[in-house]
């Protein structure tokens, strides 16, 4: 995918720029367009299991309560490239005797696509009866981290059914902590796919803002907010991929296309610069 290749270039983000609040400015803006939402989501690579033609491995949806076939099919969308590869390895290790299936299993591969492409596909096919659905496979460690934080805040949770997103706030009743783009002093509000990355930003904020915390949200809530809200600060929101995905992005060929969507990594600690993929 061209948008994946464009992530190869690097840029630098410095550590957090501590502001009294990030909800500044009183000029109203329209809710983000579908293209703007897609571009924000494009900063996160997700991983599909595909055949040699690039078609995702899928299975038919089960019958509904009336015994009728639901139509359509579902495929897994992994947040971890390693976990997607493990799924392929597990399939290949099964004692399958059918030579056609054996040959199919040999052709399976992990294909990375931008999350925005998945979002776009869902939007375009939402009224189609036989559409392809996507079952997200979050990283178990991040699911556990999200539930731990929710329990620490007093909530009773037994499971987390979506992809967790971690946002650092100045306090539970205040705004999100921004980071500053060193090139032009642009303020960005990072939403992390990794609890560890959010914890790194929180550690910078805590000395000055003792009530700072990490809010757990989910990718569905983020998308709905981007679709429905008119708040100016949403233009500053950027999704930060996990460390594993950032390392993968670094392996991609570089592209100097200035209009390519950016995919910043976690802010560097102690206000030192660190390379961030685009």
């Amino acid at each position: 995918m061209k948008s994946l290749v464009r992530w190869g270039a690097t840029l630098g983000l410095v550590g957090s720029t501590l502001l009294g609040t990030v909800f500044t400015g009183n000029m109203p803006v329209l809710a983000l367009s579908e293209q703007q939402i897609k571009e924000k989501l494009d900063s996160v690579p997700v991983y599909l299991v595909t055949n040699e033609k690039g078609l995702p491995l899928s299975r038919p949806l089960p019958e509904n309560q009336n015994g009728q076939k639901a139509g359509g099919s579902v495929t897994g969308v992994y947040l971890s490239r390693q976990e997607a590869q493990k799924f392929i390895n597990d399939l290949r290790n099964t004692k399958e005797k059918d030579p056609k299936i054996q040959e199919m299993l040999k052709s399976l591969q992990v294909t990375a696509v931008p999350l925005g492409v998945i979002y776009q596909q869902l939007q375009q096919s939402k009224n189609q009866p036989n559409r392809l659905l996507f079952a997200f496979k979050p990283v178990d460690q991040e699911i556990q981290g999200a539930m731990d934080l929710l329990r620490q805040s007093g909530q009773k949770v037994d499971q987390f059914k979506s992809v967790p997103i971690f946002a650092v706030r100045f306090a539970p009743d205040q705004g999100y902590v921004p980071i500053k783009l060193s090139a032009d002093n642009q303020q960005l509000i990072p939403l992390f796919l990794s609890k560890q990355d959010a914890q790194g930003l929180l550690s910078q904020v805590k000395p000055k803002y003792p009530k700072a915390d990490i809010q757990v949200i989910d990718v569905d809530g983020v998308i709905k907010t981007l679709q429905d809200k008119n708040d100016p600060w949403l233009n500053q929101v950027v999704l930060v991929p996990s460390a594993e995905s950032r390392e993968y992005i670094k392996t991609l060929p570089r592209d100097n296309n200035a209009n390519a969507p950016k995919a910043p990594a976690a802010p560097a600690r102690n206000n030192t610069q660190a390379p961030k993929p685009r």
Side-chain angles (χ1 to χ4, degrees):
M1 303 298 296
K2 291 184 178 179
S3 48
L4 273 176
V5 173
R6 289 171 183 166
W7 293 340
T10 59
L11 53 88
L13 290 178
V14 298
S16 60
T17 300
L18 302 180
L19 304 178
T21 176
V22 300
F23 299 102
T24 57
N26 53 15
M27 294 183 63
V29 298
L30 298 176
L32 298 184
S33 68
E34 290 295 310
Q35 181 61 28
Q36 288 174 312
I37 294 173
K38 177 187 177 299
E39 289 175 357
K40 287 186 180 296
L41 298 177
D42 273 344
S43 66
V44 178
V46 293
Y47 309 95
L48 305 177
V49 175
T50 66
N51 62 18
E52 74 280 2
K53 296 180 180 179
L55 299 175
L57 182 69
S58 62
R59 58 179 173 81
L61 291 172
E63 295 181 347
N64 58 32
Q65 295 179 349
N66 297 324
Q68 297 177 338
K69 291 185 178 180
S73 56
V74 62
T75 188
V77 179
Y78 292 83
L79 272 294
S80 165
R81 185 178 179 85
Q82 294 178 2
E83 291 188 5
Q85 186 60 55
K86 181 181 182 301
F87 175 76
I88 294 176
N89 295 341
D90 290 344
L91 284 179
R92 290 173 177 169
N93 290 333
T94 59
K95 297 180 179 179
E96 178 55 60
K97 297 182 179 180
D98 187 327
K100 290 184 179 180
I101 295 181
Q102 287 181 345
E103 196 63 28
M104 181 273 291
L105 293 177
K106 290 179 182 179
S107 74
L108 295 181
Q109 59 190 353
V110 177
T111 299
V113 298
L115 179 57
V117 170
I118 304 296
Y119 169 77
Q120 187 178 54
Q121 178 66 25
L122 286 171
Q123 293 299 106
Q124 293 175 350
S125 65
K126 59 185 176 182
N127 295 321
Q128 298 176 8
N130 296 319
R131 64 178 178 151
L132 177 64
L133 298 179
F134 300 94
F136 283 87
K137 310 289 186 181
V139 178
D140 288 341
Q141 179 181 342
E142 303 304 343
I143 290 289
Q144 187 59 52
M147 292 195 298
D148 289 344
L149 287 171
L150 291 171
R151 288 166 183 157
Q152 291 172 15
S153 68
Q155 299 185 45
K156 295 182 179 180
V157 291
D158 296 321
Q159 57 183 336
F160 196 95
K161 294 183 178 181
S162 184
V163 177
I165 303 291
F166 305 92
V168 181
R169 302 179 293 191
F170 289 107
D173 59 346
Q174 294 186 21
Y176 296 114
V177 175
I179 55 179
K180 186 168 71 171
L181 192 64
S182 58
D184 55 7
N185 290 328
Q186 180 184 1
Q187 300 288 338
L188 299 176
I189 299 173
L191 302 182
F192 299 99
L193 273 292
S194 166
K195 177 187 174 184
Q196 183 176 358
D197 288 338
Q199 194 68 47
L201 179 57
L202 180 66
S203 67
Q204 297 183 55
V205 178
K206 273 286 189 182
K208 189 172 182 179
Y209 298 89
K211 294 183 178 181
D213 71 347
I214 298 175
Q215 180 188 22
V216 178
I217 45 184
D218 61 70
V219 70
D220 304 294
V222 171
I223 291 174
K224 183 169 177 56
T225 299
L226 293 175
Q227 290 174 327
D228 297 345
K229 300 295 183 181
N230 295 330
D231 296 318
W233 66 273
L234 292 175
N235 290 293
Q236 300 171 265
V237 166
V238 60
L239 289 164
V240 181
S242 67
E244 177 194 341
S245 288
R246 297 197 302 271
E247 287 302 312
Y248 167 72
I249 292 171
K250 290 179 183 178
T251 69
L252 300 174
R254 296 191 176 188
D255 186 340
N256 294 323
N257 189 336
N259 296 320
K262 301 182 180 70
R269 299 191 179 192
N270 299 323
N271 289 335
T272 57
Q273 289 189 345
K276 306 299 184 290
R278 174 176 299 194

